[in-house]
Amino acid sequence: NINVKELETQISNLVYKYLGDQIKELNLKLKPELQSLKSIHLYSNLEAELRSNSNIDYIYIFLAVGLIILAIACVNFMNLATITSANRTREIGMRKVVGAYRWQLIIQFLGESVLISLIAFLISIAIVQPLLPVFNSLSGKNLVLDITHVRTLLEILMISIILGLLAGSYPAFFLASFRLDPVLRGEFRTGPKGTKIRTGLVLIQFVGSSFFIIGTLVVNRQMNYIHNKNLGFDKEQVVVVPMGDPRARPLYITFKENLKQIPEIRSVSSASSVPGGLINNTLAEPEGRPVGENVVINELYIDHDFITTLQIKVINGRDFSVLFPSDTLTAFIVNKAAVLHFGWGDRGIGKKINIGNFKKGRVIGIVDDFHVKSLYHRIEPVIMHIAPNPVLYLYILIRIRPGDISATLNKIEKHWYLVYPQDQFIYSFLDQDYDRLYRSEDLWGRVFASFSFLAIFIACLGLFGLASYTAEISKVGIGVRKVFGASAITIVLMLSGQFARLIIVANLIAWPLAYLILNKWLQNFAYRSNIPFWIYLLAFGISLLIAILTISYQAFRAANKNPAISLRHE
């Protein structure tokens, strides 16, 4: 129960009280900030979190998708209810004859809608319970549905009642507004206004469906790009073992030599960090800069075999070598980004670098740029040098040969406990650790694809209903065309053409909407794929194919119907 801002100010004052001179000397700007433990999972995006975080934006997106799917279902109910209204016209007429008021009819139809919604929720609960483990596996969560909880039960009832009222509102007012005389004479027609409303509702559904199709394609394309992008190092077949007790780290040399005797191991190295983990920053004073002007740069302590183990490409100069003892004391290796950052142009070999009063030396090698952070970040300057003491190494990296990985790990573990009997053997694979940085995006892509399928399925139900209605009200026109010699194919193409135009309009609306939203999502990545035009065309082709398959049954059924049956009452 304290004022957070005041406490941050007090901490800041404390820092500058004891470290102010060093901060001014290094030309740093520090502003300590407190972070709530509860906010880390959804709101924090710092480097080297305890684990891969989620993002509150995804929660909002899933909530919006869920609401869109519910809206599509409500639209379908409105559509189907008004389409089948012709079958209830005489019932409505008789109720009005015996004295029913309009508001009584509205309450009746709203009550029917709410009852259907309540029954649907009971059925959905029966479906959700067995499918919840599948969803948990898909989303990586551990959700439960406890309908015995009073609050949960009340929320379900409230949502079902609200959805029933929303879905049934338009059909209720529409059905209750029928005029008595035409209804009793059997002359009721919904008219062009009702047809336009129904068409508009289906159009909205397919705008959403087209958006989901485009979204699924774009998300999958970006995730494939992330997982297959050249990172500048080879992360496959690399085992990462975190160091244990710092006092035992000098024994690393012995452990490394023992591992090199195992035929299944190609190389062994160690470093202060691994790609995708927390990397230290240091202040370097490169040659060519004014004296005392420091540059912030990423720093890696590595041993002689790090570049070889990760297969990082040396593009100029040489790698560290045990044949040159001075490499430990006075040698640096930098990446291309550091050379550009220091303003050295194309020449970097032999340039001097001072890291405070701690180490002074020259650049002996330049490596190609590689990602030490996730693809959310641009490649940054990196300086690497040999640690003067093994205690600075935090991770051991072991490149193993393909084959019986389990047997190789058992041999590594055996040698571990011979050297480090007091430390637990813990390992992971570098490729899995790095890919875990995008765990939230992978889960989001799978759930988004599932939502897309559901939204498309519901939209197809609405299109099927509209196709049924269109075929019914067009039966006279179809019969006349058949009498005058129109073939079944001509009739099918005529009916399909109406819906093809609908799909074209839906895609033209969905395309800019999808571009704005998905392009904003892609901006989260420093390295990202583009959204090629063929994705929009593919989404249009998929939605058009789905629409044609949906209406084909009704179209062929109407085209093959005997025209005499359609025209005998006209």
Side-chain angles (χ1 to χ4, degrees):
N1 297 321
I2 53 89
N3 187 304
V4 175
K5 293 298 180 183
E6 289 183 3
L7 183 57
E8 287 178 344
T9 302
Q10 293 177 25
I11 295 175
S12 181
N13 292 338
L14 193 68
V15 170
Y16 278 92
K17 178 181 178 180
Y18 291 99
L19 301 174
D21 292 338
Q22 293 94 319
I23 293 172
K24 291 178 182 178
E25 180 183 345
L26 298 176
N27 194 26
L28 295 178
K29 294 182 180 180
L30 299 180
K31 184 184 178 184
E33 294 182 357
L34 293 172
Q35 182 184 51
S36 169
L37 187 64
K38 294 180 180 179
S39 69
I40 293 177
H41 181 57
L42 292 177
Y43 298 93
S44 178
N45 190 27
L46 302 177
E47 292 181 31
E49 299 279 9
L50 291 175
R51 62 187 63 183
S52 178
N53 285 354
S54 188
N55 191 318
I56 189 62
D57 291 339
Y58 294 155
I59 305 298
Y60 292 144
I61 290 172
F62 287 145
L63 179 62
V65 170
L67 292 174
I68 290 172
I69 291 176
L70 281 176
I72 291 176
C74 290
V75 166
N76 265 352
F77 183 85
M78 295 178 187
N79 248 347
L80 295 173
T82 51
I83 287 171
T84 58
S85 59
N87 298 327
R88 303 192 65 179
T89 53
R90 294 188 183 276
E91 172 200 342
I92 297 168
M94 291 304 299
R95 288 183 183 278
K96 286 192 172 186
V97 167
V98 297
Y101 291 102
R102 184 170 181 265
W103 64 267
Q104 291 175 316
L105 293 173
I106 291 174
I107 291 177
Q108 174 197 342
F109 295 129
L110 285 177
E112 292 176 1
S113 176
V114 170
L115 180 61
I116 291 173
S117 181
L118 290 171
I119 294 173
F121 262 90
L122 291 175
I123 296 173
S124 69
I125 290 173
I127 295 174
V128 165
Q129 287 288 14
L131 290 182
L132 201 53
V134 178
F135 178 81
N136 285 336
S137 175
L138 180 70
S139 62
K141 303 299 178 185
N142 188 26
L143 306 179
V144 293
L145 177 62
D146 184 10
I147 58 175
T148 61
H149 193 271
V150 176
R151 179 177 174 180
T152 302
L153 190 59
L154 290 176
E155 288 174 348
I156 291 176
L157 289 173
M158 184 62 66
I159 293 173
S160 63
I161 291 172
I162 292 174
L163 285 177
L165 292 174
L166 288 175
S169 57
Y170 174 73
F173 285 95
F174 176 74
L175 293 172
S177 64
F178 287 169
R179 289 180 55 195
L180 185 59
D181 294 347
V183 165
L184 294 178
R185 289 198 301 267
E187 298 175 355
F188 169 74
R189 293 289 186 273
T190 58
K193 183 179 179 180
T195 302
K196 289 180 179 179
I197 292 175
R198 280 183 289 277
T199 303
L201 293 176
V202 172
L203 175 66
I204 293 173
Q205 290 182 351
F206 266 88
V207 168
S209 299
S210 298
F211 170 80
F212 283 129
I213 293 172
I214 296 171
T216 301
L217 294 173
V218 170
V219 171
N220 287 336
R221 178 179 171 86
Q222 175 62 16
M223 297 317 298
N224 288 332
Y225 175 82
I226 285 176
H227 292 303
N228 297 307
K229 186 183 184 299
N230 182 10
L231 301 174
F233 65 93
D234 186 1
K235 59 184 171 67
E236 306 297 330
Q237 304 295 129
V238 176
V239 180
V240 178
V241 181
M243 291 279 204
D245 187 347
R247 293 170 297 181
R249 289 177 189 170
L251 297 174
Y252 158 71
I253 302 300
T254 302
F255 180 62
K256 177 178 180 179
E257 292 302 319
N258 291 344
L259 290 185
K260 289 169 68 174
Q261 306 305 315
I262 302 175
E264 293 84 358
I265 292 178
R266 297 176 59 181
S267 61
V268 183
S269 180
S270 59
S272 59
S273 181
V274 293
L278 178 63
I279 183 170
N280 293 329
N281 289 332
T282 189
L283 290 168
E285 186 180 328
E287 181 180 333
R289 292 292 181 101
V291 177
E293 182 179 322
N294 295 292
V295 176
V296 178
I297 188 172
N298 293 314
E299 177 187 37
L300 275 175
Y301 285 113
I302 63 175
D303 77 348
H304 295 82
D305 298 310
F306 178 83
I307 291 175
T308 300
T309 300
L310 289 189
Q311 298 182 4
I312 300 171
K313 184 179 180 182
V314 178
I315 58 176
N316 201 355
R318 64 176 177 84
D319 192 1
F320 293 121
S321 173
V322 294
L323 300 177
F324 297 89
S326 61
D327 282 359
T328 303
L329 301 175
T330 61
F332 296 104
I333 292 178
V334 297
N335 64 346
K336 287 196 305 183
V339 174
L340 294 175
H341 189 59
F342 293 156
W344 290 343
D346 297 330
R347 297 181 179 182
I349 301 300
K351 295 288 187 179
K352 296 179 181 179
I353 298 179
N354 296 340
I355 299 182
N357 295 321
F358 169 68
K359 190 171 187 178
K360 299 180 180 180
R362 295 178 180 273
V363 174
I364 64 167
I366 300 173
V367 298
D368 204 359
D369 286 335
F370 64 99
H371 290 270
V372 294
K373 299 179 181 179
S374 70
L375 297 186
Y376 289 111
H377 306 278
R378 288 266 171 203
I379 290 178
E380 299 175 348
V382 176
I383 185 170
M384 294 173 282
H385 52 117
I386 304 294
N389 191 321
V391 75
L392 296 174
Y393 295 136
L394 301 180
Y395 299 94
I396 300 173
L397 297 94
I398 308 167
R399 178 169 293 281
I400 63 177
R401 301 182 188 279
D404 191 346
I405 295 177
S406 179
T408 304
L409 290 173
N410 288 335
K411 292 180 180 180
I412 296 173
E413 182 177 9
K414 180 180 177 181
H415 284 281
W416 173 270
Y417 284 114
L418 289 175
V419 179
Y420 303 106
Q422 304 301 322
D423 292 333
Q424 184 180 359
F425 177 68
I426 302 172
Y427 73 91
S428 62
F429 289 93
L430 182 58
D431 57 344
Q432 295 176 358
D433 291 342
Y434 200 86
D435 289 343
R436 201 172 288 120
L437 297 173
Y438 315 106
R439 178 174 174 271
S440 294
E441 284 69 25
D442 286 327
L443 293 175
W444 185 62
R446 292 200 296 269
V447 175
F448 194 85
S450 301
F451 280 169
S452 300
F453 173 79
L454 184 59
I456 293 168
F457 176 74
I458 296 175
C460 287
L461 293 179
L463 185 62
F464 185 83
L466 183 61
S468 302
Y469 174 76
T470 302
E472 180 64 25
I473 64 174
S474 303
K475 62 182 181 181
V476 175
I478 293 172
V480 171
R481 283 179 170 81
K482 293 200 70 174
V483 167
F484 280 92
S487 64
I489 297 298
T490 303
I491 302 299
V492 170
L493 291 176
M494 179 193 73
L495 293 174
S496 300
Q498 300 177 20
F499 296 102
R501 289 192 292 271
L502 192 68
I503 301 303
I504 292 174
V505 174
N507 274 270
L508 291 178
I509 297 174
W511 287 0
L513 182 66
Y515 175 80
L516 292 174
I517 295 176
L518 295 171
N519 191 58
K520 183 178 180 180
W521 175 73
L522 288 173
Q523 298 303 316
N524 293 323
F525 299 89
Y527 298 89
R528 53 188 176 269
S529 62
N530 57 356
I531 308 179
F533 188 68
W534 64 260
I535 281 187
Y536 299 103
L537 295 178
L538 180 59
F540 167 70
I542 293 173
S543 57
L544 182 62
L545 178 63
I546 291 172
I548 291 175
L549 292 176
T550 302
I551 65 174
S552 59
Y553 169 76
Q554 292 295 345
F556 279 101
R557 184 168 173 267
N560 292 319
K561 194 172 184 179
N562 188 343
I565 298 176
S566 304
L567 300 175
R568 63 185 176 185
H569 296 300
E570 299 299 324

